[in-house]
Amino acid sequence: MTTPDPDPQPAPRGTSRRGLLGLGAAGLVGLAGGAVLGRATAAQAGPLAVGSSAVGPSASEAHAFYGAHQAGIATPVQDHLHFAAYDLSPRATREDLVALLQEWSYAAARLTQGLDVSATGAVGGNPAAPPDDTGEALGLPPAHLTITIGLGSSLFSTGDSADSDRFGLAAQRPAGLAPLPPFLGDALQAEWSHGDLCIQACADDPQVAVHAVRNLSRTAFGRASVRWSQMGFGRTSRTSAAQATPRNLFGFKDGTRNVLGTEEDRLAEHVWVGEGDEPAWLRGGSYLAVRKIEMQLEPWDRTSLAEQERVLGRDKAEGAPLSGGTEFTEPDFAAGAIDVASHVALAHPDHNGGATLLRRGYNFVDGTNALGRLDAGLFFLAYVRDLEQVITVQRALATDLMNEYVRHIGSATFAIPPGVAPGGWVGETLLA
Amino acid sequence: MTTPDPDPQPAPRGTSRRGLLGLGAAGLVGLAGGAVLGRATAAQAGPLAVGSSAVGPSASEAHAFYGAHQAGIATPVQDHLHFAAYDLSPRATREDLVALLQEWSYAAARLTQGLDVSATGAVGGNPAAPPDDTGEALGLPPAHLTITIGLGSSLFSTGDSADSDRFGLAAQRPAGLAPLPPFLGDALQAEWSHGDLCIQACADDPQVAVHAVRNLSRTAFGRASVRWSQMGFGRTSRTSAAQATPRNLFGFKDGTRNVLGTEEDRLAEHVWVGEGDEPAWLRGGSYLAVRKIEMQLEPWDRTSLAEQERVLGRDKAEGAPLSGGTEFTEPDFAAGAIDVASHVALAHPDHNGGATLLRRGYNFVDGTNALGRLDAGLFFLAYVRDLEQVITVQRALATDLMNEYVRHIGSATFAIPPGVAPGGWVGETLLA
């Protein structure tokens, strides 16, 4: 998954990239019809001209955009996140949605290779027009940027009336795609929840991730707007055996038992929607559950080491289960050293019918609240084959000792379409 | 300035570090008196025991904490910032202030070397007590962390009454240390302005910078609390010839003419409070001006390339002045190609009596506002020998074409004491 793609999707022939950037979207849709566009491009050959941006020295720092699965799930977790949830405009049509997903795919194929959002870039276009690319990533390497596109349940219908199925997608809605049910202790806020679409941009340079979300938001102009967004840092999990297990803001290692991108069997069992699963259009894709979790750091920091370790069920220094061994030793729940209400006990697959999540969360610090405390926590991202896996684990955590120190303030779920071949676009299996 | 210091300040003999962490501060002050503490330690030898944290492979990633000047000014700019402004408790005494600055210095000397905040660290202490260190940086290298401590004007007195000089510092207040005067177009908010003290923590890993501010805030518990804080990324200036000039969120290179850490003559002229300057206690120090500047990215992104370049007075691709040449060519204002109201013209030292700033700002993205627009901008940090330099430049910018796209929402000024020798503490020239 780390091979650079030398040939991003070509721009549609005879269509200025300007028209694709939302600044002239109405004209574009009128010109060719969105759905035709993506398929037409698949038949084209020829590499896309490189924009004004010097591609860094680092093709090795680029993840392929094209593939069986979208990048940003099983690929190694990067250091920084910019996540954005979008709502479609009340006036947006199915054609607008198709065109947007095509243009996002085109842009993502370029951005992930360290290119400008379009061939005319930040400075190569008409001086009398706004630049296609906002420019702040000019000269920066790809920084392992991945762009992962998701579809929210509200896209499929917003109610029971015929009017609510404005994109004609109700019949194709995955049976399990819905907002997560209420959990004990939820303190959800609408401003951190839901969305018709999402973009997860991860990179080893936050400026690269911010640049991606900013330019994709520009692309969406007039058709979709950002509902909420989140910056994250210091990944709280690992998806590669080469990555050390990072620590969350409670100071504990997080993600020790995570599904790794090399574990094909576990990915097939727990993460990818499989060949026998429904709906067919989502096969090779996944589901994403998002939770914005405030961590009450000051009370936590005043808790004794022994109590912190009891809450987690692991020791703080090494991350080993309190039943003994090293970080990667399986916990021995029968030995009695691990509290039954500890986080490790309640979240363990053995206690949840095998439910396993691919976690890809990030720490966040949004500043300081009115009490002078860090407004900080965990932006939890989990990829699963079925959202029921998340619901099972989250229900089990109802009695988690950790609940005294965390508060869930945001929640969202998305269907993550499969990856696409060069020339394709994310969502084509649903919308083409 | 990049040589690691193998011998951070030893902990005071016979004093548990627990007592220094604010959790037992009252006891500590009662024990020895704050002012005695710092000087006593200077007489001690012997290296401090290393805590539980493995020091990374990277002594080369550590900046010395001790030196003639505080690190974090002329040292090469790191990629990430966590800045915090603090207010002292209404009950805090001069002894509390002294003890806090001593404990901050002790902790900063350790943290910058990749050590835990104390020798007992995140896990080495009494299991029945909260750990001294919050632990999320365990195992991380120093990441070039610098911790720079500043003193706000409100520390020196808050009014004309005798009561307002609660720390007995009014007579030592630098004549030029005051909040910046109002500027045309200011939209300042108290929640982003001022503070009795500040910590600028910069590092190449945001988790390391966040860990530093979090643990120094813990140290301050009961004596000072965070008034506001700010995360930043993607430095918007350079202070080393080895660093490429980065781009700000307008997509333009920023800091081309910045004062470099190797330019001793320019540093002496523009940044360091000199041997002949008053007050004597600040010699070797500097002044810091902070401005939180919102950037209106969406209107900017809809502006033509030609207009963007007219506003800046430089071309977007290379950063060359519009009068021609390359990034480092001096602008030729007489040639007529550069608008007299452009940013480069108004900010240029030739038009401001030579006023020159050492800029060390960062981009910020605080999320999305109610309109779905990025809540983003420039967290401007400038170090100067005299705040009058900042006032001169900011007044000149009153007619800046860029003002249509920016809004100043926060402002603060701090005196930055000189650096200290091993065993010393920041602020000792004022308070000892």
Side-chain angles (χ1 to χ4, degrees), chain A residues 52-315:
Chain A
S52 58
S53 166
V55 180
S58 46
S60 64
E61 284 188 26
H63 283 304
F65 177 72
Y66 298 114
H69 310 292
Q70 288 198 65
I73 303 171
T75 44
V77 185
Q78 303 93 325
D79 290 340
H80 297 276
L81 166 79
H82 194 183
F83 187 97
Y86 296 82
D87 279 340
L88 282 153
S89 154
R91 291 186 311 274
T93 63
R94 181 175 171 123
E95 287 66 37
D96 289 334
L97 172 61
V98 167
L100 176 58
L101 290 170
Q102 291 175 334
E103 294 164 31
W104 272 1
S105 299
Y106 173 91
R110 290 188 56 93
L111 292 168
T112 52
Q113 306 311 304
L115 302 172
D116 299 319
V117 73
S118 90
T120 61
V123 295
N126 173 4
D132 280 352
D133 187 287
T134 57
E136 72 271 24
L138 268 178
L140 297 179
H144 293 122
L145 174 68
T146 54
I147 294 171
T148 313
I149 300 172
L151 313 177
S153 60
S154 48
L155 200 63
F156 293 82
S157 79
T158 52
D160 294 329
S161 72
D163 278 1
S164 70
D165 185 20
R166 58 188 178 128
F167 303 118
L169 295 173
Q172 291 167 283
R173 178 184 189 140
L177 181 63
L180 293 175
F183 299 111
L184 203 67
D186 272 1
L188 303 184
Q189 299 168 13
E191 63 187 294
W192 296 113
S193 298
H194 313 309
D196 292 335
L197 299 167
C198 77
I199 296 284
Q200 173 198 280
C202 299
D204 288 332
D205 181 336
Q207 183 124 335
V208 170
V210 165
H211 173 259
V213 166
R214 179 178 175 192
N215 282 273
L216 296 176
S217 300
R218 278 187 90 203
T219 300
F221 183 76
R223 293 172 290 182
S225 58
V226 176
R227 179 181 171 92
W228 55 272
S229 75
Q230 181 66 53
M231 299 280 292
F233 68 90
R235 58 195 168 74
T236 61
S237 60
R238 59 176 204 143
T239 60
S240 157
Q243 295 177 316
T245 310
R247 291 178 186 272
N248 62 28
L249 293 177
F250 284 159
F252 279 75
K253 291 185 183 176
D254 204 342
T256 292
R257 285 180 46 87
N258 206 24
V259 180
L260 304 185
T262 49
E263 297 178 313
E264 295 292 348
D265 290 353
R266 291 182 83 199
L267 288 169
E269 184 179 354
H270 303 298
V271 179
W272 304 129
V273 174
E275 281 311 306
D277 295 342
E278 296 295 341
W281 67 264
L282 196 54
R283 291 172 189 163
S286 189
Y287 293 91
L288 169 62
V290 182
R291 303 285 284 185
K292 180 163 183 172
I293 306 174
E294 273 187 2
M295 292 161 73
Q296 314 290 326
L297 298 182
E298 283 77 2
W300 178 260
D301 288 345
R302 287 196 286 272
T303 302
S304 73
L305 175 64
E307 176 67 5
Q308 290 183 4
E309 294 185 335
R310 186 175 78 96
V311 167
L312 268 295
R314 292 181 178 273
D315 89 297

Side-chain angles (χ1 to χ4, degrees), chain A residues 23 52 79-80 82 122-131 133-139 192 204-207 210 213-214 218 221 225-231 233-235 246-252 297-298 300-309 316-317 363 365-369 371-374, chain B residues 23 52 79-80 82 122-131 133-139 192 204-207 210 213-214 218 221 225-231 233-235 246-252 297-298 300-309 316-317 363 365-369 371-374:
Chain A
L23 303 164
S52 58
D79 290 340
H80 297 276
H82 194 183
V123 295
N126 173 4
D133 187 287
T134 57
E136 72 271 24
L138 268 178
W192 296 113
D204 288 332
D205 181 336
Q207 183 124 335
V210 165
V213 166
R214 179 178 175 192
R218 278 187 90 203
F221 183 76
S225 58
V226 176
R227 179 181 171 92
W228 55 272
S229 75
Q230 181 66 53
M231 299 280 292
F233 68 90
R235 58 195 168 74
R247 291 178 186 272
N248 62 28
L249 293 177
F250 284 159
F252 279 75
L297 298 182
E298 283 77 2
W300 178 260
D301 288 345
R302 287 196 286 272
T303 302
S304 73
L305 175 64
E307 176 67 5
Q308 290 183 4
E309 294 185 335
K316 196 165 190 176
N363 299 321
V365 174
D366 287 351
T368 307
N369 66 20
L371 295 173
R373 295 174 174 181
L374 279 183
Chain B
L23 303 164
S52 58
D79 289 341
H80 298 276
H82 195 183
V123 294
N126 174 4
D133 187 287
T134 57
E136 72 271 25
L138 267 178
W192 296 113
D204 287 332
D205 182 336
Q207 184 124 336
V210 165
V213 165
R214 179 178 175 191
R218 276 188 92 203
F221 182 76
S225 58
V226 176
R227 179 182 171 93
W228 54 273
S229 75
Q230 181 66 53
M231 299 281 290
F233 68 90
R235 59 195 168 73
R247 291 179 186 271
N248 62 28
L249 292 177
F250 283 158
F252 279 75
L297 298 183
E298 283 77 2
W300 178 261
D301 288 345
R302 287 196 286 271
T303 302
S304 73
L305 176 64
E307 176 67 6
Q308 290 184 5
E309 294 184 335
K316 197 166 189 175
N363 299 321
V365 173
D366 287 350
T368 307
N369 66 21
L371 295 173
R373 296 176 173 179
L374 279 183

Side-chain angles (χ1 to χ4, degrees), chain A residues 352-363:
Chain A
N352 292 291
T356 297
L357 321 176
L358 187 154
R359 283 162 290 157
R360 226 176 178 285
Y362 287 84
N363 299 321

Side-chain angles (χ1 to χ4, degrees), chain B residues 346-393:
Chain B
L346 294 174
H348 197 277
D350 289 357
H351 298 165
N352 292 292
T356 298
L357 321 177
L358 186 153
R359 280 163 293 157
R360 228 176 176 284
Y362 287 84
N363 299 321
F364 70 86
V365 173
D366 287 350
T368 307
N369 66 21
L371 295 173
R373 296 176 173 179
L374 279 183
D375 187 356
L378 170 66
F379 190 71
F380 176 91
L381 299 168
Y383 286 90
V384 289
R385 182 176 174 186
D386 185 327
L387 286 169
E388 200 59 44
Q389 295 160 241
V390 174
I391 297 169
T392 298
V393 173

Side-chain angles (χ1 to χ4, degrees), chain B residues 206-275:
Chain B
Q207 184 124 336
V208 170
V210 165
H211 174 259
V213 165
R214 179 178 175 191
N215 282 275
L216 296 175
S217 300
R218 276 188 92 203
T219 301
F221 182 76
R223 294 172 289 184
S225 58
V226 176
R227 179 182 171 93
W228 54 273
S229 75
Q230 181 66 53
M231 299 281 290
F233 68 90
R235 59 195 168 73
T236 62
S237 59
R238 60 176 203 145
T239 59
S240 157
Q243 295 176 316
T245 310
R247 291 179 186 271
N248 62 28
L249 292 177
F250 283 158
F252 279 75
K253 291 185 182 176
D254 204 343
T256 293
R257 284 182 46 89
N258 206 22
V259 179
L260 304 184
T262 49
E263 298 178 314
E264 295 292 349
D265 289 353
R266 290 182 83 199
L267 288 168
E269 183 178 354
H270 302 299
V271 178
W272 304 130
V273 174
E275 280 312 306

